Amino acid sequence: MKIIVVYGGKSAEHDISILTAFSIIKEIYFDYYEVQPVYINRKGEWLKGEPLTGPVAFSEALRLEVSQEAHFATSEGEVSTGVLVTPYDLKEEECVVFPVLHGPNGEDGTIQGLFEMMDVPYVGCGVLASACGMDKITSKQLFQQAGLPQLPYVPFNKTQWKQNPESIFNKIEGTLIYPVFVKPANMGSSVGISKAENREELTTAIVEALKYDRRIVVEQGIEAREIECAVLGNDEANTSVVGEIVKTSGFYDYNEKYINNTVTLEIPAQISDEVSAKVREYSAKAFRAIDGSGLTRCDFFLTETNDIYINEVNTLPGFTQFSMYPLLWEKTGISYKDLVEELIQLALKRYKDRQNG
């Protein structure tokens, strides 16, 4: 069977996607599979690389350039190349697509819809769950319906902001207390997110967030620990041990996550069994609320008084060997290699179940 790993993409999380693809390819069971790398460059072109029968030596080898024939670099001085293709050129009888595209057009249901139209099995959440999980406003509405506790928030769009910014300020300041967090509705890895302590900072934060999406959500800021739980499964929602992001700065933004690396992951988190059980219960409930399948990471706030608030879900979480999602499962008893295999099998099962009605 061929595993088609699709990575790169046009979003701000392009480079993270390459690192994720590198980590996954390194751990695939090559005794059973051949890997077909498919790189989507920043222009949106699909490049089919040379099929792999083993891991690549370094992540930059996966950053392909256009050529008449595929070639993989064997040293960092060489350039890897790929052939321009359309998505339908990739379809084979025995294949599973493993998308590792973070952000818009990768985990928001768009490319999942393409795979549905191609009629191929693919790893991860389907169209509905991906779209709902990616959209912070829609997911909050679903969590509210599911009875999950969450912090107050104010949603609005670009048109509302341009027509009457004063009414947006009044709504935010009448509902929330500074500090607040301003987020694009559809973006991951803390891209475009800012903390605001006053109206001046709020204005700057909104302008920044609008660079990434036309819909914005402003959330209440609180003093709390950030804890996370991984979910694995299709109709059944299996939950992992709970982990914590231990920060040295007040806000865990993009730079802290991927450049400065000033955070520590504590797995399992130092919390009571009762809190852990409640977080796992809420994670399974959130997974079902969006109709999740395959994988999802659920993020929560935990206050000093042990109040738990769901923050968001990530249907395609970071998946390098140093990322929270695979580390949570490792501490639960599933190795990275076996986790990759389980996701492939879940993709096949979901596809077959749907084929059989």
Side-chain angles (χ1 to χ4, degrees):
M1 182 176 289
K2 184 170 283 187
I3 307 299
I4 302 171
V5 180
V6 182
Y7 60 96
K10 296 171 68 176
S11 85
E13 300 175 75
H14 181 99
D15 293 338
I16 304 163
S17 175
I18 293 174
L19 292 174
T20 299
F22 174 71
S23 297
I24 288 171
I25 290 171
K26 189 163 64 173
E27 298 299 333
I28 281 177
Y29 284 112
F30 280 97
D31 290 347
Y32 305 103
Y33 306 114
E34 181 179 72
V35 173
Q36 177 62 69
V38 176
Y39 173 60
I40 302 177
N41 64 23
R42 294 185 187 276
K43 296 179 183 178
E45 297 170 323
W46 291 54
L47 300 176
K48 182 179 180 180
E50 186 177 294
L52 299 173
T53 56
V56 293
F58 49 96
S59 61
E60 283 302 300
L62 295 173
R63 199 185 298 271
L64 309 182
E65 294 188 9
V66 180
S67 178
Q68 295 302 309
E69 59 181 49
H71 162 73
F72 261 102
T74 54
S75 68
E76 294 200 42
E78 298 181 53
V79 175
S80 301
T81 58
V83 179
L84 285 172
V85 293
T86 67
Y88 278 85
D89 294 331
L90 304 172
K91 183 174 178 178
E92 298 189 21
E93 280 298 315
E94 294 289 325
C95 73
V96 174
V97 179
F98 204 132
V100 290
L101 295 156
H102 299 295
N105 297 320
E107 56 181 304
D108 60 0
T110 50
I111 204 162
Q112 287 77 13
L114 174 61
F115 298 145
E116 293 285 354
M117 293 178 67
M118 289 171 61
D119 192 29
V120 294
Y122 59 93
V123 169
C125 286
V127 177
L128 178 67
S130 298
C132 293
M134 184 71 180
D135 190 290
K136 294 178 176 64
I137 297 172
T138 301
S139 60
K140 286 179 182 299
Q141 293 167 342
L142 290 172
F143 298 153
Q144 184 174 341
Q145 288 288 323
L148 291 165
Q150 53 189 333
L151 294 168
Y153 65 96
V154 174
F156 60 93
N157 61 40
K158 189 174 186 177
T159 300
Q160 292 170 319
W161 167 252
K162 284 193 167 183
Q163 288 178 344
N164 195 342
E166 192 63 28
S167 71
I168 300 296
F169 285 135
N170 291 338
K171 191 170 185 181
I172 293 169
E173 293 173 342
T175 307
L176 312 177
I177 301 169
Y178 290 110
V180 296
F181 285 90
V182 182
K183 304 178 179 182
N186 284 274
M187 189 56 66
S189 296
S190 298
V191 174
I193 297 179
S194 305
K195 182 180 181 180
E197 299 274 4
N198 50 54
R199 183 175 284 202
E200 182 181 354
E201 290 182 2
L202 178 61
T203 305
T204 303
I206 290 172
V207 171
E208 176 66 17
L210 284 170
K211 294 177 183 177
Y212 299 95
D213 196 3
R214 50 174 282 278
R215 294 166 70 245
I216 303 299
V217 60
V218 181
E219 300 173 355
Q220 179 64 60
I222 58 166
E223 286 293 325
R225 297 161 68 180
E226 293 189 23
I227 57 176
E228 302 183 344
C229 182
V231 185
L232 180 68
N234 288 338
D235 288 336
E236 72 291 344
N238 302 298
T239 57
S240 72
V241 299
V242 178
E244 179 177 3
I245 297 171
V246 182
K247 303 174 292 182
T248 55
S249 66
F251 172 39
Y252 185 44
D253 64 8
Y254 181 91
N255 285 341
E256 301 304 327
K257 282 184 178 180
Y258 299 109
I259 298 173
N260 299 333
N261 196 25
T262 59
V263 299
T264 302
L265 306 182
E266 190 168 89
I267 308 171
Q270 298 302 304
I271 55 179
S272 69
D273 291 344
E274 182 182 0
V275 170
S276 178
K278 185 59 71 173
V279 169
R280 295 177 77 159
E281 177 192 332
Y282 286 167
S283 296
K285 191 176 283 191
F287 185 73
R288 295 190 183 100
I290 64 169
D291 190 31
S293 56
L295 73 163
T296 293
R297 192 193 71 227
C298 301
D299 302 349
F300 298 86
F301 297 123
L302 177 65
T303 69
E304 284 186 350
T305 54
N306 283 338
D307 292 317
I308 304 165
Y309 300 100
I310 188 165
N311 177 26
E312 61 184 20
V313 294
N314 193 321
T315 57
L316 193 61
F319 212 98
T320 71
Q321 289 171 313
F322 308 105
S323 299
M324 178 68 93
Y325 185 87
L327 288 174
L328 285 170
W329 282 114
E330 186 177 300
K331 293 294 185 180
T332 311
I334 303 176
S335 70
Y336 191 107
K337 193 178 282 286
D338 287 339
L339 180 59
V340 170
E341 176 62 19
E342 179 64 18
L343 288 169
I344 292 169
Q345 294 304 319
L346 285 169
L348 284 168
K349 185 178 187 303
R350 185 184 63 178
Y351 178 77
K352 288 173 182 174
D353 286 348
R354 293 186 65 174
Q355 294 293 304
N356 295 332

